[in-house]
Amino acid sequence: MSRKHAPTRPPSGRHARTPAFGPVRGVYVPRTADAGAFAMSTYGIPLLVLAVTESAALTGLAFVLEWVPRLGAFALAGAAVDRLGTTRVLRIASVARAAVVLAAALVLPRVGEDAGAVVTVMVLAAATGVLSEFSYIAAETAGGAASREAADHAHRVQAVLLGIDQCATLAGPALAGVLLQYTGATGMLLTIAVCSLLGAALAPRQRPVWPQEAPLSVTQGLKTGWRTLRSLPALGWLCTGLLLSNCAIGLVQAAGPVLVVQQLGGTSSQVGLVWSAAAVASLAVVALARLAIDRVGLWPVGAAAAALASAACLALAAAHTYLTFLVLVALLMAGEAGMTVVLRTLRAHLVPPEVFGATLSLIILLLLAPFPLAGALVALTPPDLLGHTITACAVLQALGLALAFAKLRTHPAARRAVPA
């Protein structure tokens, strides 16, 4: 095949397979089980650290330990999916995550509240972070294939996938907080293990449809993703804006347990309720975004979502009651959900299938880079100054999103309406 025809050839890695089941059983159901374990791990383990250590600094450090290994795992996960396939990676990562949390559930009651407990929860944060990203890359790659098959209706597939993620965010944090408060660490960790094992059991068998090629190395994959992103200005500008936005969102997530429990006098279950309320608002925006994109196109929907997120984050530092904090976080995450639908749709339309895995890994790596930095910032910032820090990040978020959507305003892919 000549080089000039290369972009039109079918995807070639093991991730580019047609599921033996339909999209519901082959993509949506496994994604649901994995998203439940992911959400409970992401939001529940920092709560566990705060409950064990009662330290804002150690809670922030746990957030760092949860996210730094995740960033390193993305490129490795992309290479693993190319080599082993989505099914095998999803099963291995899910079973390993279940084993890790079960081990922690056995160890914590025996070490009490001394240094052994601190070490256990910190190791738990790092290990679950890595394994969750392996399973997420596998599930997201399968979703990318389903979006390409949907062609002009890719935004509908992405809306379903994002809806699954938001439903998990709705149930996961609240359930983790309630379990931690009323059953202790053991009940919460056992539930995460059950969700992980369900994800492994539901991973569908897949059959190859394209010839296999030698997978790229991790370094080559990142270089390929970077070249692809640089060649797609619309996607590049949107990623830049969302990267800056995630600086603020990451800080709010990392500081959430400290702000609610120590400054607003709430409980661990109320921390989970914040993110569940955010998921409800996000689900509503995802449903509206799907309809609005059909009518007016991607840019107006994305710009409106960016304005909502920026306004909510700017007001967040002034929240002096739990209810105000909950409402503003819900609005912030609703705006983020609308922008995510736009990002995923542009990504599915613009990124060539043969470099999708490499580009996906790079984009996720870039967008999640602010999260460990946010954890470090919480660990180093006195609790009474967290509000001012959130305001500074909110200003950066607003400027970044305004510039990104100004650049996207005239791009054809972002302006046209998607056929119904």
Side-chain angles (χ1 to χ4, degrees):
M1 179 180 293
S2 65
R3 183 176 296 274
K4 67 179 181 179
H5 294 302
T8 63
R9 65 181 173 87
S12 57
R14 284 178 179 249
H15 62 280
R17 294 180 172 186
T18 301
F21 302 100
V24 174
R25 175 62 179 87
V27 178
Y28 300 149
V29 174
R31 177 66 164 259
T32 300
D34 181 69
F38 186 101
M40 290 191 67
S41 300
T42 299
Y43 295 98
I45 288 176
L47 280 175
L48 176 61
V49 173
L50 184 62
V52 170
T53 66
E54 297 183 353
S55 168
L58 288 177
T59 302
L61 179 59
F63 201 81
V64 175
L65 291 176
E66 191 175 25
W67 281 102
V68 167
R70 288 184 177 192
L71 298 183
F74 276 117
L76 294 174
V81 168
D82 285 338
R83 288 173 170 83
L84 303 176
T86 55
T87 301
R88 190 178 299 179
V89 170
L90 183 58
R91 285 176 175 166
I92 292 173
S94 297
V95 170
R97 179 172 54 200
V100 167
V101 296
L102 287 173
L106 293 173
V107 169
L108 281 174
R110 290 170 170 77
V111 296
E113 298 182 357
D114 57 10
V118 176
V119 172
T120 300
V121 293
M122 292 301 182
V123 171
L124 177 65
T128 54
V130 170
L131 295 170
S132 293
E133 294 314 321
F134 271 82
S135 65
Y136 174 77
I137 285 291
E140 186 72 358
T141 302
S147 295
R148 289 193 295 274
E149 291 177 2
D152 286 339
H153 300 305
H155 66 288
R156 298 182 180 182
V157 174
Q158 291 300 331
V160 172
L161 293 174
L162 187 56
I164 289 171
D165 291 343
Q166 294 301 334
C167 284
T169 305
L170 167 63
L175 183 59
V178 170
L179 289 171
L180 183 60
Q181 184 172 351
Y182 294 106
T183 68
T186 301
M188 186 189 77
L189 294 174
L190 286 176
T191 306
I192 294 174
V194 170
C195 290
S196 297
L197 292 174
L198 280 175
L202 294 172
R205 290 172 298 176
Q206 296 180 328
R207 54 185 175 82
V209 295
W210 307 117
Q212 300 292 315
E213 291 182 359
L216 295 175
S217 69
V218 171
T219 302
Q220 289 174 322
L222 290 176
K223 289 180 179 178
T224 299
W226 179 248
R227 286 195 300 267
T228 304
L229 190 60
R230 289 184 61 187
S231 70
L232 301 170
L235 194 59
W237 279 110
L238 183 56
C239 288
T240 300
L242 289 176
L243 186 151
L244 295 175
S245 178
N246 281 354
C247 292
I249 292 173
L251 183 61
V252 172
Q253 288 189 8
V258 177
L259 294 174
V260 172
V261 175
Q262 295 190 349
Q263 295 191 14
L264 299 178
T267 64
S268 60
S269 60
Q270 286 181 308
V271 178
L273 184 60
V274 168
W275 300 110
S276 295
V280 172
S282 298
L283 280 169
V285 168
V286 168
L288 291 174
R290 174 178 173 175
L291 298 175
I293 290 171
D294 282 337
R295 293 180 176 273
V296 300
L298 292 171
W299 187 88
V301 174
L308 175 63
S310 299
C313 198
L314 285 168
L316 197 58
H320 298 300
T321 66
Y322 172 76
L323 180 59
T324 303
F325 182 83
L326 181 148
V327 170
L328 289 175
V329 170
L331 293 175
L332 169 63
M333 300 310 294
E336 189 269 345
M339 291 186 290
T340 301
V341 173
V342 174
L343 170 67
R344 290 184 172 187
T345 304
L346 276 179
R347 187 179 68 197
H349 279 304
L350 297 179
V351 179
E354 63 271 15
V355 293
F356 187 85
T359 308
L360 171 65
S361 294
L362 178 69
I363 289 175
I364 296 176
L365 181 64
L366 290 174
L367 294 187
L368 295 186
F371 284 84
L373 297 178
L377 197 57
V378 170
L380 296 173
T381 303
D384 57 346
L385 295 180
L386 284 175
H388 299 295
T389 308
I390 291 174
T391 299
C393 289
V395 172
L396 183 65
Q397 174 195 41
L399 292 175
L401 290 175
L403 178 60
F405 280 95
K407 292 287 186 179
L408 283 172
R409 184 178 179 86
T410 57
H411 195 282
R415 290 294 301 177
R416 69 173 184 267
V418 179

